[in-house]
Structures are given as C-alpha cells and as structure tokens.
Amino acid sequence: MEIQKVWAVYWSPTGGCRRVTETVAEAAAARLGVPWECVDITLPQARERVYLFAETDLVVVGTPTYAGKVPNKLLPWLQSGLRGNGALAVAVVVFGNRSYDNSLAELCATLEGDGFHTAAAGAFVAQHAFTDELAYGRPGWSDLFEAKSFAAQAADKVRQAAGVPEPVRVPGDPAAPYYVPKGTDGQPAKFLKAKPKTKTSRCNGCGACVRMCPMGAIDPQDPSNVPGTCIKCQACVRKCTKQAKYFDDEAFLSHVVMLEAHFKDPKENETFL
C-alpha cells in the first residue's frame, strides 16, 4: 500500500509514551521515505477538535496503561476525536513494569472502531509514574532500538501489503474490567479521590503544574487547589522544578509500596505484526 505520511498521535503526561510513539513514527517514516508529524493530545486544548486522517496515512497512536487499560478519562475522546477514514494504524501502549493487561487490546479495538486498520501493535516498558523504583530510566537506549526495529518491520508489512491488512492480533480482552490496585495488606487500595498536595514553602507560583495537567484540574489562581478531576498521572509531581507537589493519601502510598515490593524485575517489550 502507498503511504504518503506518518503521524505520531500520543497522550503522554510524564513523557514515556511520547518517546516511544515518536520513535516508532520517525523510524517508520524513514523506512517508507515519507514525512512524519506529531499530534500531542496530552493537554485539554489539544482535544477540543477532531483529527481526520486518510487512506494514505500511517498513524502511530500511543497511550500509557492505567489500571491495565486505556486511561478511562481519555477513552471517550479516543472514540470520538480520531477519524481514520481507512488509514492504517500502529497501536502503542506503555506500561510501568507491572503489566499492560488489556490496554493494547482495548486500544486496537478503539482504533478499529474509529475507522483505522490496525497493521501492527506494541507494548513497551516505561518508568512507572508513581515511583522511580520501577523501570527507572525506561524507555532507554535498548528499548528505543527495539521500537525502531519494530517500526521498520511494520513499515515493510504496510509497503508490501496488496490490500488492507487483517486487524493485528494482540492478547487481552477490550471489555475486561480494570485492574484493581492493592495495598501492602493485599486488599484493594481505594484512592480514586486522592489529589496532590502542595508544599507552600517550596511553591513559587510559576504555574507549571497548571499548564502541564492533562485534565486541566488545577486552579490557575491557586495551584494548591485542585477542584477538577485528578487521574493520578503525576504530571504535576514529575514536572514541578521545586518539588512542591506530592501525594500523601495512605491508600495510594500503600499501593506504591506494594508495586515496589513485587514488580521490580525488568519486564520485556512485546510487539505484534
């Protein structure tokens, strides 16, 4: 099939998904000898429009894994904000060294429902947003090397295809329930309502957390106030240069300790063509 342009579309509050998705898109474009372009849908204003693609596009769509699936606050927009119009797609998810569970299957099903034809898919390890103890520094050089190799294989598959490829097969069930986080006691850790706190002695009011919040949840007049929905993505914590943002919810912290105790062994990336 003839591809004229490659796109990288990603939602990436802490940057891991952006690195993998851009790497795959850039490498695929180089293999195909066509230009590529990024569409960063992380911030709310980027999701105020619908993005239309064409049969001559190859679109690499990336999301992180939240509770074993596509982030639930992002999913409705993915179902309505992207229009494939017959474009080919590469589905990419990243996961924080525990498991991608059903996120890749859900993303593939969503893209097929949006009018894309999924030609390839991959799940890549990225540093966990909650802690530096899980997959620290990933995706690293070797991960991105794997991403480039995967992209070249996907590009070759697309170029050699005589027609629309069959939907890529990946493990998982798009309709499966979300993973239930557990605490150190093995019981469900309920921290849905947890929100970041602010160390006022460190905060200088720069507003970086306000600008970086993918939900637009932080009050621009008072960054210590979070009246909107917090999805625990840690963007405000990770991107505050003064280390003023933190979480102190006991259930959340217990879950983090549980993750650190049981999921430190490095996981492998998985790709499907």
Side-chain angles (χ1 to χ4, degrees):
M1 296 184 68
E2 181 183 357
I3 298 297
Q4 297 181 0
K5 190 169 184 177
V6 176
W7 297 83
V9 180
Y10 53 82
W11 189 83
S12 184
T14 54
C17 187
R18 174 189 61 79
R19 293 182 67 194
V20 174
T21 307
E22 287 186 350
T23 296
V24 172
E26 183 178 19
R31 188 77 162 193
L32 294 168
V34 299
W36 71 288
E37 185 174 337
C38 291
V39 177
D40 184 351
I41 58 170
T42 307
L43 299 181
Q45 54 267 35
R47 303 191 299 275
E48 293 175 354
R49 53 164 291 191
V50 174
Y51 296 87
L52 307 176
F53 300 95
E55 292 181 352
T56 54
D57 291 327
L58 175 61
V59 187
V60 184
V61 181
T63 78
T65 298
Y66 280 21
K69 299 191 74 176
V70 172
N72 67 341
K73 296 300 182 182
L74 176 65
L75 184 59
W77 185 87
L78 287 175
Q79 294 169 332
S80 62
L82 300 178
R83 291 289 179 267
N85 298 312
L88 299 186
V90 176
V92 170
V93 299
V94 299
F95 64 103
N97 207 61
R98 184 189 66 79
S99 174
Y100 61 93
D101 291 334
N102 300 289
S103 60
L104 192 58
E106 186 175 36
L107 179 57
C108 286
T110 299
L111 293 174
E112 290 284 340
D114 288 341
F116 293 92
H117 300 292
T118 52
F124 292 84
V125 180
Q127 182 174 326
H128 203 292
F130 292 174
T131 172
D132 290 346
E133 297 298 318
L134 272 63
Y136 181 74
R138 297 182 72 178
W141 181 89
S142 60
D143 297 304
L144 298 181
F145 182 85
E146 287 184 49
K148 290 178 182 180
S149 177
F150 163 64
Q153 294 177 66
D156 288 344
K157 176 182 178 179
V158 167
R159 181 165 47 194
Q160 295 164 9
V164 175
E166 290 293 319
V168 64
R169 294 184 179 182
V170 303
D173 177 5
Y178 289 92
Y179 162 78
V180 177
K182 293 180 172 58
T184 54
D185 60 0
Q187 298 302 307
K190 299 179 180 180
F191 50 85
L192 187 63
K193 296 183 179 180
K195 293 186 177 184
K197 300 294 183 63
T198 302
K199 296 177 182 177
T200 55
S201 61
R202 292 186 178 183
C203 178
N204 63 2
C206 72
C209 58
V210 176
R211 295 189 297 273
M212 297 296 183
C213 178
M215 300 304 295
I218 302 175
D219 184 353
Q221 303 304 317
D222 177 10
S224 68
N225 183 29
V226 186
T229 299
C230 173
I231 56 174
K232 272 61 77 178
C233 71
Q234 309 296 303
C236 61
V237 175
R238 294 283 180 179
K239 296 178 179 180
C240 177
T241 60
K242 301 299 182 182
Q243 292 81 50
K245 289 289 186 182
Y246 67 101
F247 279 80
D248 65 356
D249 181 88
E250 290 186 6
F252 173 78
L253 296 178
S254 179
H255 176 56
V256 173
V257 172
M258 186 282 295
L259 290 172
E260 293 174 344
H262 297 286
F263 297 101
K264 279 188 177 181
D265 291 344
K267 293 292 180 67
E268 300 295 326
N269 305 313
E270 296 185 23
T271 57
F272 307 90
L273 293 158

